[in-house]
């Protein structure tokens, strides 16, 4: 086994003691960095320990930057990894720190590092959770066309309802434009109901009641789409192995080739 392959197994897999130790240390660093960002947002702590927290934050940033570069160096298809979900998350783990130099306050975005904690399922060999995660992602991919059609239909309905409410109520009740009325229709249909805009005429209230009832019936549609996708998705045991070509995880126990790129899996 080459040194590069050895490093890839340590960084991307958790089936070896070295790989598990690396990922446990990484998770601890992620937790500490997120905690530092949260503490810095507290005014009293920022006044007393702001300098130490900022120094620690830059140390974490350099650490995650070096880790990201190492991941790119050991994987055979670095661009594929960089475009993957975890590749983007790994990039966003340190990018906001550099953006602070141009946009003050961007350090608050560093809490996105918490997404990297999803690796805990792989680190502690919780393959059952990996299987459920893979199943959910598969069902979402299978139903994305239906979801897009559903969202487009909802937007068209909101446009029609918002235009009707604008015509009925007008600016006197806060419906100053069709976009403002569409905002009200979306808030009402999703059952959020901020209440900042509300109809005052009997006809407007009747239309609002119709929108509320319509909202309850529409909520069930995306749930049904995802549920149908879950039923169709295959339930097969998976491992924590990652592809050495594209870093994809969640392969079946008897898989010899990657389910995403077709590359040969390492033994």
């Amino acid at each position: 086994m080459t040194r590069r392959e050895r490093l890839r197994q340590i960084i991307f897999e958790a089936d070896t003691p070295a790989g598990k130790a690396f990922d446990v240390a990484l998770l601890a660093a992620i937790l500490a960095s997120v905690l530092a960002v949260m503490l810095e947002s507290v005014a009293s702590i920022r006044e007393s320990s702001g300098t130490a927290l900022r120094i620690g934050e830059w140390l974490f940033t350099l650490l995650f930057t070096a880790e990201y570069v190492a991941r790119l160096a050991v994987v055979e298809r670095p661009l594929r990894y960089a475009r993957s979900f975890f590749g983007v998350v790994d990039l966003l783990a340190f990018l906001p720190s550099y953006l602070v130099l141009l946009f003050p306050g961007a350090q608050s975005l560093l809490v996105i590092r918490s997404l990297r904690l999803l690796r805990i399922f792989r680190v502690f060999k919780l393959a059952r959770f990996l299987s459920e995660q893979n199943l959910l992602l598969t069902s979402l991919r299978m139903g994305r066309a239906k979801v897009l059609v559903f969202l487009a239909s909802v937007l068209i309905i909101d446009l029609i309802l918002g235009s009707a409410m604008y015509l009925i109520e007008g600016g006197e009740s806060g419906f100053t434009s069709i976009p403002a009325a569409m905002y009200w229709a979306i808030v009402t249909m999703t059952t959020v109901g901020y209440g900042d805009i509300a109809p005052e005429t009997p006809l407007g209230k009747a239309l609002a009641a119709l929108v509320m009832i319509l909202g309850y019936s529409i909520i069930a549609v995306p749930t049904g789409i995802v549920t149908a996708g879950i039923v169709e998705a295959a339930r097969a045991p998976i491992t924590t192995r990652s592809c050495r070509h594209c870093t994809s995880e969640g392969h079946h126990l008897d898989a010899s080739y990657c389910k995403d790129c077709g590359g040969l899996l390492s033994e």
Side-chain angles (χ1 to χ4, degrees):
M1 181 183 298
T2 64
R3 179 178 299 180
R4 181 184 180 188
E5 177 63 15
R6 175 62 177 166
L7 288 175
R8 190 200 66 79
Q9 288 189 355
I10 293 176
I11 294 176
F12 282 97
E13 299 185 10
D15 292 331
T16 63
K20 185 173 182 179
F22 174 85
D23 282 341
V24 169
L26 178 61
L27 290 175
I30 295 170
L31 285 171
S33 65
V34 172
L35 179 61
V37 174
M38 295 173 61
L39 291 177
E40 191 180 7
S41 66
V42 180
S44 58
I45 297 178
R46 184 169 60 248
E47 292 177 0
S48 60
S49 307
T51 301
L53 289 174
R54 283 189 289 272
I55 292 175
E57 176 50 45
W58 275 106
L59 290 177
F60 284 124
T61 296
L62 294 176
L63 172 65
F64 294 142
T65 302
E67 179 222 350
Y68 182 77
V69 172
R71 290 181 181 273
L72 292 175
V74 299
V75 72
E76 294 191 11
R77 298 183 183 179
L79 290 180
R80 190 180 183 93
Y81 159 70
R83 293 194 300 265
S84 67
F85 171 77
F86 277 112
V88 174
V89 171
D90 292 342
L91 175 63
L92 295 178
F94 60 86
L95 187 60
S97 291
Y98 298 111
L99 292 179
V100 170
L101 301 176
L102 299 176
F103 307 102
Q107 67 271 16
S108 298
L109 298 176
L110 289 172
V111 294
I112 200 171
R113 288 174 180 170
S114 58
L115 286 175
R116 305 190 75 194
L117 296 176
L118 292 174
R119 296 180 187 274
I120 193 172
F121 298 139
R122 176 172 62 87
V123 173
F124 295 105
K125 299 184 184 228
L126 301 179
R128 179 168 62 87
F129 294 98
L130 274 176
S131 178
E132 299 302 326
Q133 176 186 346
N134 187 59
L135 180 66
L136 180 59
L137 292 176
T138 300
S139 65
L140 291 175
R141 284 196 295 266
M142 293 173 62
R144 60 186 175 187
K146 299 176 184 176
V147 171
L148 289 176
V149 172
F150 167 74
L151 292 177
S153 301
V154 170
L155 287 176
I156 293 173
I157 293 173
D158 286 328
L159 173 61
I160 295 173
L161 293 174
S163 300
M165 187 60 75
Y166 170 72
L167 179 63
I168 295 171
E169 293 290 332
E172 295 78 7
S173 300
F175 297 87
T176 55
S177 63
I178 292 180
M182 284 185 63
Y183 157 78
W184 168 86
I186 293 173
V187 170
T188 304
M189 186 175 294
T190 54
T191 71
V192 175
Y194 288 130
D196 51 345
I197 305 176
E200 298 179 359
T201 65
L203 184 57
K205 292 180 181 179
L207 180 59
L210 176 63
V211 174
M212 295 172 196
I213 296 174
L214 183 62
Y216 276 110
S217 62
I218 286 180
I219 288 176
V221 176
T223 304
I225 293 174
V226 175
T227 302
I230 292 176
V231 173
E232 295 177 13
R235 289 180 175 270
I238 62 172
T239 67
T240 59
R241 288 184 301 168
S242 67
C243 175
R244 63 186 179 188
H245 303 285
C246 68
T247 73
S248 175
E249 299 178 354
H251 298 93
H252 294 170
L253 288 172
D254 58 350
S256 300
Y257 298 91
C258 177
K259 59 185 176 60
D260 292 325
C261 72
L264 181 66
L265 296 175
S266 59
E267 299 295 335

